Amino acid sequence: MQFVPNVRLALLTVSCLVVLAGCSALPGSGALRQDVVTPEAQAIGQFTVVDLTHDSLALLSRRPVVSLRGSFGDNRPPADQVIGVGDTVQVTIWEAAAGGLFSAPAVDRLGPGSRSAVIPDQVVGRDGSITVPYAGRVRVIGQRTSQVEARVVELLRGKAIEPQVLVTVPRNTSNTVTVTGDVTNGAVVPVNVRGQRLLEVIAQAGGANAPVHETFVNLIRGTRSVRVPLHTILSHPAENIYVRSGDVIAVVRTPQTITAIGATGQNAVVPFGNSSLSLDEAIAKSGGLLDSRSDPEGIFVLRYETEDMVSQLIAPRVLERQNRPVAVTYRLNLRDPAALFHARLFAMRDKDIVYVANAPLNEVQKFFALVNTIASPVFTLSAVRAITR
């Protein structure tokens, strides 16, 4: 006779659990699919849901890419380099006959005597000039060696005997580029007249230390800074542009990762492991979908996109422009047979989030499991009492 009240107690417990379930009190790994795709959820969370289809993938494939050639061009350096502050300049002067300002007198009829003089090396100061005897201070900064030669000849005309001048730059410190970052030996590399390309300069600094797929090259020229993956330069020779004097090249190791959460085999930060990663590879690297939990219609990729890109993806809807990146949730529906092809064409980006929602039925399963956990001791106790009596 004591079993009936205990059954009533169990039913009361179940009723309480139903109320709790209605209040979303059950534990979960995240929002359900229907909680993400509804317009109300998008309005509250201020994000946009875009289905991965043939059309959306075609738009994403036309995304503008960062290019060194497009940003800086690829013009070969000039044939003659100009002299700058800090360069070492050497001047040699010849005269047509002995006994002049820069030549020794002939000691006999057969000895012509020395007809040239080498002026000691001079470092170009901040005033941009060097000193040439009998010519005074000669401005050389910003000049090619041929221009300096002509200027010195002009200043010595009428003083020396038909002077001829040769100007050389033994140590060129102004026509250099700086290589720093994750290279074997950071260095200041001189730029020769032939011209040097980006990979040549990095090689002169010992090359990059990190794997190619984790290495980025940041080229700073003037007030502009452009960052591209090293594998892009290796894959597209046109990106291996000529460097310019004053360039700063920073080689940086930046491992590319995505975050996998929800009903996946492994919730973790997953490295690319290569220069690129597609969505199907990202799902596989995170352990695949849990068959007992996952919703195949609720596979989402979360990232920020530019307003221009989003306005194309959601056309003909109108995007409220706010001059800032837009939060976008891309959805993959694996119940569509073409979805696996879409996943292969969708390129992951660094710091993307892959979220796999739980299936709606999984919430029901969790509810009954919780009911069984709480109610089972009650029924067991009642059964024991009935037996003992």
Side-chain angles (χ1 to χ4, degrees):
M1 299 297 295
Q2 298 297 322
F3 183 73
V4 174
N6 290 331
V7 172
R8 291 176 178 174
L9 177 61
L11 293 175
L12 179 61
T13 303
V14 171
S15 300
C16 294
L17 289 173
V18 172
V19 174
L20 291 175
C23 297
S24 301
L26 288 174
S29 59
L32 297 178
R33 167 174 49 86
Q34 57 267 29
D35 297 330
V36 176
V37 299
T38 60
E40 294 78 13
Q42 298 177 50
I44 295 173
Q46 296 184 342
F47 62 88
T48 300
V49 175
V50 177
D51 286 319
L52 288 182
T53 63
H54 177 77
D55 292 337
S56 60
L57 287 169
L59 285 171
L60 290 171
S61 67
R62 296 197 292 268
R63 180 199 314 274
V65 296
V66 179
S67 168
L68 292 174
R69 186 185 180 94
S71 301
F72 299 112
D74 188 30
N75 300 319
R76 185 182 292 272
D80 293 326
Q81 293 177 339
V82 297
I83 300 171
V85 174
D87 289 349
T88 299
V89 177
Q90 184 183 84
V91 180
T92 304
I93 302 174
W94 284 270
E95 293 185 285
L101 293 175
F102 301 96
S103 57
V107 294
D108 55 44
R109 292 182 305 167
L110 300 178
S114 173
R115 298 183 181 181
S116 66
V118 178
I119 299 173
D121 293 355
Q122 300 179 67
V123 177
V124 180
R126 292 191 176 275
D127 65 345
S129 302
I130 61 171
T131 298
V132 177
Y134 303 104
R137 296 289 287 175
V138 180
R139 186 168 180 80
V140 298
I141 189 171
Q143 304 289 310
R144 297 184 177 90
T145 55
S146 58
Q147 294 174 309
V148 177
E149 290 168 356
R151 179 58 178 163
V152 173
V153 168
E154 180 184 353
L155 292 173
L156 292 178
R157 187 169 287 118
K159 301 177 183 178
I161 305 173
E162 299 181 15
Q164 298 293 313
V165 177
L166 175 64
V167 175
T168 59
V169 183
R171 287 185 295 277
N172 192 331
T173 60
S174 64
N175 292 290
T176 59
V177 297
T178 302
V179 185
T180 185
D182 202 4
V183 291
T184 302
N185 297 299
V188 176
V189 180
V191 180
N192 57 42
V193 177
R194 176 182 61 86
Q196 291 164 283
R197 294 186 179 272
L198 194 59
L199 292 180
E200 290 181 71
V201 174
I202 294 176
Q204 285 185 266
N209 288 328
V212 171
H213 66 272
E214 294 183 352
T215 303
F216 286 75
V217 176
N218 191 22
L219 176 59
I220 304 170
R221 180 175 294 174
T223 59
R224 301 189 63 187
S225 176
V226 178
R227 182 173 184 262
V228 298
L230 178 58
H231 73 83
T232 298
I233 304 174
L234 295 171
S235 303
H236 302 86
E239 290 296 297
N240 188 24
I241 63 175
Y242 284 101
V243 298
R244 290 287 184 273
S245 299
D247 284 354
V248 177
I249 302 166
V251 180
V252 183
R253 180 176 186 176
T254 307
Q256 306 290 285
T257 61
I258 57 108
T259 302
I261 56 177
T264 61
Q266 179 186 13
N267 285 191
V269 175
V270 181
F272 276 31
N274 208 334
S275 59
S276 62
L277 184 71
S278 59
L279 178 53
D280 63 310
E281 292 172 324
I283 294 173
K285 278 178 170 286
S286 60
L289 306 183
L290 293 178
D291 189 56
S292 60
R293 285 179 47 193
S294 62
D295 180 359
E297 296 182 39
I299 300 173
F300 302 100
V301 178
L302 287 67
R303 69 166 59 144
Y304 284 95
E305 295 282 11
T306 62
E307 289 185 334
D308 289 338
M309 175 58 69
V310 176
S311 64
Q312 297 178 61
L313 289 170
I314 66 175
R317 290 187 300 165
V318 178
L319 174 67
E320 182 181 350
R321 293 183 174 270
Q322 300 178 358
N323 295 321
R324 63 184 183 185
V326 181
V328 178
T329 300
Y330 294 101
R331 183 176 74 144
L332 180 71
N333 180 9
L334 281 180
R335 293 197 187 278
D336 180 2
L340 290 176
F341 294 99
H342 296 158
R344 173 50 58 94
L345 295 175
F346 184 82
M348 303 298 294
R349 286 160 55 186
D350 186 32
K351 302 303 181 289
D352 277 352
I353 299 175
V354 176
Y355 171 64
V356 179
N358 285 337
L361 184 60
N362 184 65
E363 303 303 306
V364 178
Q365 293 173 339
K366 288 192 293 184
F367 166 71
F368 281 112
L370 186 58
V371 170
N372 181 65
T373 301
I374 297 177
S376 180
V378 176
F379 285 106
T380 301
L381 180 60
S382 300
V384 171
R385 286 181 178 178
I387 294 173
T388 56
R389 290 169 183 262

